[in-house]
Amino acid sequence: MALVSVDRARGLLTVEFQGLDKLWTLKSRLEIPLAHVRGATHDPGIAREPKGLRVGGTHFPGLITAGRYLHKGERLFWDVKNPDKAVVIELADAETYDRLVVEVDDPRATVALVERSLTRD
């Protein structure tokens, strides 16, 4: 599972991986500039879509998809065991990924957090 947080002062969206997810994803955290975040959606159905070519990470069909994947020219980062809790974070001008697909404890709250971070005061 991942913890998503926003630091508006530093202009960063941070995704921290918990427990064994660090092993499955080969990462402990991702930091994405808020300027590169386009939005987020709760999308349980994405787990049924093709993942593409695994570049680094873990995939056991029906159990876990984690790590870096390439699909039709798109760079994806996955960390999902329970598709019902999958959140997709869309990125623009991304240096490393086009989309992050992560499992979170509360998908609605995470989507709201990301969407609020995009509003300019």
Side-chain angles (χ1 to χ4, degrees):
M1 188 163 310
L3 295 176
V4 176
S5 61
V6 172
D7 184 342
R8 289 188 79 159
R10 292 180 51 216
L12 289 176
L13 175 120
T14 302
V15 181
E16 291 193 55
F17 304 102
Q18 306 296 301
L20 287 175
D21 287 16
K22 292 178 186 179
L23 176 66
W24 309 137
T25 63
L26 305 176
K27 295 270 185 193
S28 60
R29 73 187 303 154
L30 296 172
E31 290 185 339
I32 308 293
L34 283 175
H36 294 181
V37 178
R38 291 178 40 204
T41 57
H42 176 212
D43 187 357
I46 196 164
R48 291 186 298 275
E49 294 181 13
K51 311 302 182 270
L53 176 68
R54 181 171 35 122
V55 179
T58 307
H59 182 68
F60 294 111
L63 295 176
I64 185 169
T65 303
R68 298 177 295 143
Y69 291 77
L70 292 173
H71 182 64
K72 296 183 180 180
E74 192 174 37
R75 297 161 300 165
L76 305 160
F77 188 91
W78 283 79
D79 182 28
V80 176
K81 292 183 291 299
N82 179 354
D84 291 336
K85 295 187 173 198
V87 169
V88 179
I89 301 172
E90 298 282 342
L91 305 174
D93 302 322
E95 297 166 4
T96 310
Y97 303 107
D98 298 298
R99 288 193 291 170
L100 309 177
V101 184
V102 295
E103 176 184 336
V104 297
D105 186 43
D106 186 343
R108 291 179 196 198
T110 300
V111 168
L113 172 72
V114 172
E115 292 297 318
R116 277 193 314 271
S117 75
L118 301 178
T119 59
R120 308 290 181 231
D121 296 320

